[in-house]
Amino acid sequence: MISEVITSVTGATVTPLARWVRKLWQRRSPLMVVATPRIPKAWKLALPDTEPLHAPVPLTHSERRYRQMYEWLRAKGAYDYGLTSLDLRLENRSGEPLIITDIGVHKLTAGVPLRAALVSYPPAGAVQKELIYFDLDEVDPTGRPARFDMDRLEPIGEQPYFLDRDVKLGAGESQTFHIAGAALRSRVSWELSVTILQAGKYQKIIVQPGSGPLRTSGTPTQGFDGEWIWNWFAGEAASFTPAPHPTA
């Protein structure tokens, strides 16, 4: 079993050692996996405490947009509120075909939702996308087909995504899956697993982004202690301001 994300050895100069490592890795597993979290232009994050709201933001004015602020708050321990999404690219690096038989979720920790603060970045348009959806409130989440439309996640039926389908990858072929994990009542840190079948043998690969486990937190039973928005459009006076219409 492999316990970390597989990344390719790339660069302007490939040393003999790098080529040897790559060949050794390909003998261990035929699948290259790249997990890339999707940072929406309109996000909501649950914070474990309010310290970031009162501390100076160590970013320049040009950096205080949706991506940099998201990453800064995540580094402060924030969880995605309600929904985490990512792209999962799988590539067959071997000379033989293989079948992807399942994609699953492996929970690392679970508990009650964070409630100290909910921080939002103002909306900026809608995205339409079909994806594999996991209900992280389930004890053992199962991937099901869903659609993300107009900022809403809409499940498509109740059957598991891989119940009646296998994804075949020939030598050198790749495919990208769009993944979403949602939590309404819990707080979860998690990673993915990919099960493949090649030459009659099954193999499970554990996957998480290079930035670490995915983190998702739902709505606290008693609501958040406070809700704020990142007032980025105020220029140099950008700050966290109380949300005019609390959501929880």
Side-chain angles (χ1 to χ4, degrees):
M1 178 178 295
I2 302 171
S3 58
E4 59 186 2
V5 179
I6 308 169
T7 54
S8 59
V9 179
T10 60
T13 302
V14 180
T15 65
L17 175 61
R19 285 195 293 267
W20 178 80
V21 170
R22 182 168 54 190
K23 290 180 180 179
L24 176 63
W25 180 247
Q26 291 175 0
R27 286 199 296 268
R28 291 180 60 193
S29 175
L31 194 69
M32 183 183 78
V33 183
V34 179
T36 306
R38 296 183 62 85
I39 303 176
K41 291 186 177 180
W43 44 250
K44 291 186 177 182
L45 294 173
L47 305 186
D49 55 59
T50 60
E51 184 273 334
L53 306 178
H54 311 296
V57 177
L59 300 172
T60 66
H61 173 61
S62 61
E63 292 175 333
R64 295 179 177 184
R65 299 303 295 270
Y66 77 99
R67 178 178 293 275
Q68 289 87 350
M69 287 302 300
Y70 175 93
E71 292 174 344
W72 182 69
L73 289 170
R74 280 269 301 178
K76 293 288 188 178
Y79 278 53
D80 297 317
Y81 172 61
L83 185 73
T84 298
S85 59
L86 68 151
D87 293 333
L88 185 66
R89 183 175 180 271
L90 308 178
E91 180 180 343
N92 182 359
R93 301 299 301 273
S94 73
E96 300 180 5
L98 60 79
I99 299 174
I100 301 165
T101 63
D102 193 29
I103 296 175
V105 157
H106 175 221
K107 291 186 180 182
L108 299 174
T109 62
V112 298
L114 300 177
R115 61 168 299 178
L118 177 65
V119 177
S120 305
Y121 192 93
V127 176
Q128 295 184 351
K129 190 181 296 292
E130 291 192 357
L131 44 79
I132 303 175
Y133 154 76
F134 293 90
D135 181 352
L136 299 175
D137 291 330
E138 295 179 350
V139 175
D140 186 14
T142 299
R144 296 182 174 87
R147 181 183 298 108
F148 192 66
D149 190 8
M150 299 299 289
D151 295 329
R152 296 185 61 183
L153 185 66
E154 301 176 352
I156 305 174
E158 294 295 328
Q159 297 294 339
Y161 185 90
F162 284 95
L163 178 66
D164 55 1
R165 74 183 90 188
D166 291 323
V167 178
K168 298 180 180 180
L169 295 181
E173 290 185 340
S174 65
Q175 181 159 334
T176 297
F177 295 90
H178 305 297
I179 309 291
L184 297 178
R185 304 180 303 276
S186 60
R187 167 178 49 87
V188 182
S189 65
W190 53 286
E191 56 193 9
L192 293 170
S193 65
V194 179
T195 304
I196 64 174
L197 173 63
Q198 187 178 49
K201 296 181 179 180
Y202 286 93
Q203 182 179 13
K204 180 178 287 188
I205 302 169
I206 302 299
V207 183
Q208 64 176 241
S211 56
L214 302 151
R215 301 199 299 255
T216 314
S217 185
T219 303
T221 303
Q222 298 178 347
F224 289 94
D225 292 341
E227 297 187 29
W228 287 263
I229 62 170
W230 171 242
N231 190 17
W232 64 268
F233 41 81
E236 293 299 331
S239 62
F240 296 101
T241 59
H245 304 291
T247 59

